[in-house]
Amino acid sequence: MGNKTETILVTGGAGFIGTHLVDALLKKGYRVRVLDNLSLPTHDGNLPPWFPKGAEFIKGDVRMKDDWTRVLDGVDYIFHLAGYMDTHPDFSTYFSVNAFGTALLYEVITEKKLPIKKIIAASSQSVYGEGKYYCSNHGIEYPLMRDKDQLERGEWDIRCIIDNSLKRPLPEDEDDELHPSTPYGVSKLALEKIVLTLGEQYNIPSVILRYSIVHGPHQSFRHYYSGALRQFVAMALLGKDIAFHEDGMQLRDFVHVRDVVTAHLLVMRSDQSDFQTFNVGSGEPTKIIDLAKTVAEVAHVPFQQATQTYFRFGSPRNAFMKISKLRKLGWDPQHSLQDNVRDYIDWVKQYPEAKKYFHDALK
Ligand SMILES: NC(=O)c1ccc[n+]([C@@H]2O[C@H](COP(=O)([O-])OP(=O)(O)OC[C@H]3O[C@@H](n4cnc5c(N)ncnc54)[C@H](O)[C@@H]3O)[C@@H](O)[C@H]2O)c1
């Protein structure tokens, strides 16, 4: 059980991952405070019905120094999950929320000399960009993002620029080179540098968790970026053919939100995690087409693949993680791809209004 005298701040605690984390912390007996601005596109300005009872909610913005000052009073641990993620071209918002907001947190802590025990910050697999590949003739390579011309020709795979041979994708390792290729990814890399640099300089134990693609109940119906699972479920429940990007053979890493929560609880209590970065993924690459087939199977609809081909510029061909570093600390993900899909579909079915959002999003 947690220490009832300890107060935990969860920024972004009204969001998808945040609400699960808040639930788990309350169950462990901690006092939990949430800072969240209930922003679009995740929210409509109101707390979601599944926001955990028992948590103290403070509406505020991580870009406002006064809001940080207000919420940090008496706090022991901070889970910093508030973030802006999408594919919209309002580039500066990624940096104002994800980077500037994080720097303000450390500014207020150092100015006020607050005795914070640890900060655990949410980063993302997007910092790896296209990641690491193996070329049988040239060894390890970090290829650039595929350009638009290549994608328009429907040439999806990553090939060696010298001999055009197919390269083999390798799992992303915490020590890999980082080449983010989206404003979101670059802003998360900035967040990581801020957290680890200021954490070490001012001796504030700080940890980075790089999540892969997180799945589970509470994923906002409205949020386009909440990814392939939401889109495939929307298509399946609305009786549409399932459309995916590229040829569906690209690899992704889907981790269940409950496994992500146990990773947070573990690093919070482990001194070995201080000033470290950990991947939080499933440890299993999954082809996108297999996710689509699993959705059809769990939703009891025939799997029909749409004929149109889409792609999203800036999206890596493959992205999956090595999770041995966190495993060494004692963490082991417990949920399968089927669990992810079943738990999400079961949850969506409790909210008939989800179909309306799905319908609008697909349009
Ligand atoms: N869901 C994933 O697959 C995934 C993958 C990698 C990283 N992440 C990171 O995990 C964190 C949580 O993501 P999520 O999936 O729960 O998203 P989410 O959108 O459901 O939750 C984010 C929360 O942050 C709040 N927020 C946004 N801007 C804010 C601001 N300026 N001030 C205060 N609150 C603000 C939102 O209102 C929302 O409640 C984010 O930092 C995200 O970048 C998520």
Side-chain angles (χ1 to χ4, degrees), residues 12 14-17 36-39 42-43 60-63 81-83 85 97 122-124 184 188 211-214 223:
F16 160 43
I17 302 168
D36 199 300
N37 68 349
L38 301 180
S39 57
T42 299
H43 302 282
D61 196 307
V62 297
R63 291 166 291 186
L81 271 59
M85 73 216 102
V97 177
S123 184
S124 154
Y184 172 64
K188 283 293 185 182
Y211 319 146
S212 63
I213 301 172
V214 188
H223 204 167

Side-chain angles (χ1 to χ4, degrees), residues 63-80:
R63 291 166 291 186
M64 305 300 291
K65 198 165 182 177
D66 286 352
D67 288 344
W68 277 121
T69 308
R70 209 155 49 104
V71 297
L72 283 171
D73 187 36
V75 163
D76 296 284
Y77 291 87
I78 301 166
F79 290 99
H80 181 37

Side-chain angles (χ1 to χ4, degrees), residues 82-145:
Y84 183 68
M85 73 216 102
D86 217 309
T87 49
H88 296 310
D90 53 340
F91 307 134
S92 58
T93 315
Y94 301 96
F95 295 93
S96 65
V97 177
N98 301 342
F100 174 79
T102 304
L104 260 188
L105 163 64
Y106 283 82
E107 190 172 308
V108 173
I109 292 172
T110 50
E111 269 178 21
K112 306 229 167 269
K113 299 191 171 45
L114 297 174
I116 300 296
K117 292 179 181 157
K118 192 178 284 203
I119 298 173
I120 295 137
S123 184
S124 154
Q125 180 176 41
S126 61
V127 296
Y128 293 108
E130 185 57 70
K132 191 169 59 179
Y133 282 74
Y134 182 74
C135 168
S136 50
N137 296 321
H138 304 99
I140 302 281
E141 290 179 359
Y142 291 88
L144 297 173
M145 273 289 149

Side-chain angles (χ1 to χ4, degrees), residues 225-246:
Y225 195 80
S226 54
L229 175 62
R230 195 203 67 145
Q231 290 162 32
F232 295 167
V233 168
M235 294 169 207
L237 297 185
L238 296 175
K240 311 250 182 233
D241 294 348
I242 299 191
F244 36 79
H245 292 140
E246 307 187 12

